[in-house]
Amino acid sequence: MDGNAYANFVPVDSTVNGILAASWNYVTTKNSPHIYNMCIPECDIKISWMELMLTGYAVINKRVPFNGILWYPSATMTKSRLFHKIYFVLFQIVPAIFIDFLLMILGYKPVLFSIQMRIHKGMEMFEYYTVKSWNFNTENIETLRKKLNSREKKNYMLESEGIDIEEYMTDCILYIRRNILKETDDMLPAAHRNMK
């Protein structure tokens, strides 16, 4: 991952809003464009992978920690494949094998190694998009945004004006806690104590 490269994330509801607005524009405007890149224009938000990671750390460490973590959340960004593989083996695989060995001794099913391998597979698929910055032509979506009146702009939010990245990240992590990890909000005080 290149920490200086920037990420272009778009909430799914903004994408749906863009599709609805583009469909309206196509039906009501003669010679309207057929192609819209549903992404955030660079002029709106340009956040690097490093900034995104640091924001995520701030949210996880201070606002919305996870329950049941074994060690303090951290990560290292590198563009070097060799350095990444060394780090992966030393800080992901070796601890996973050790903990799985302890689980087997205690009579539990080993799980961490298989989880780490799934994470690694996902990271490999994601790598192509994180080692370079991506620029998309957003001229059509920017023109479309200008056609919307104030009420439509409010209902079909296509602009990122006023979006707080830390607040957005907090909502994302809360979603992960509640819906993927099945951790309830009443468990947050214990998670804060665990993090300390």
Side-chain angles (χ1 to χ4, degrees), residues 83-117:
F83 189 69
H84 168 72
K85 287 189 186 285
I86 291 169
Y87 254 60
F88 179 70
V89 169
L90 290 177
F91 297 108
Q92 303 291 123
I93 297 299
V94 170
I97 290 171
F98 177 73
I99 291 170
D100 276 351
F101 178 72
L102 289 176
L103 288 172
M104 285 183 352
I105 289 173
L106 295 171
Y108 297 101
K109 182 181 174 189
V111 293
L112 281 181
F113 181 78
S114 62
I115 290 172
Q116 288 300 333
M117 294 315 292

Side-chain angles (χ1 to χ4, degrees), residues 50-68:
M50 182 61 75
E51 291 170 308
L52 195 65
M53 183 180 75
L54 293 174
T55 303
Y57 282 161
V59 170
I60 290 172
N61 292 328
K62 294 186 173 63
R63 295 173 92 175
V64 188
F66 295 111
N67 291 78

Side-chain angles (χ1 to χ4, degrees), residues 64-69 173-184 187:
V64 188
F66 295 111
N67 291 78
I69 58 173
I173 294 172
L174 277 170
Y175 178 86
I176 291 168
R177 272 185 58 91
R178 294 170 181 157
N179 300 296
I180 297 172
L181 300 176
K182 306 297 183 203
E183 296 177 359
T184 58
M187 300 167 83

Side-chain angles (χ1 to χ4, degrees), residues 146-162:
K146 291 175 187 169
K147 289 183 175 183
L148 302 177
N149 63 36
S150 59
R151 188 171 139 241
E152 291 167 338
K153 283 182 181 181
K154 186 178 176 190
N155 291 339
Y156 302 99
M157 191 172 152
L158 297 178
E159 296 184 28
S160 56
E161 185 179 309

Side-chain angles (χ1 to χ4, degrees), residues 112-142:
L112 281 181
F113 181 78
S114 62
I115 290 172
Q116 288 300 333
M117 294 315 292
R118 287 197 320 248
I119 290 170
H120 184 63
K121 188 173 279 193
M123 287 170 43
E124 282 182 336
M125 291 174 15
F126 200 47
E127 175 191 6
Y128 180 77
Y129 302 99
T130 61
V131 293
K132 56 183 109 179
S133 295
W134 295 84
N135 296 310
F136 299 98
N137 180 346
T138 57
E139 185 179 318
N140 290 343
I141 200 74
E142 289 177 62

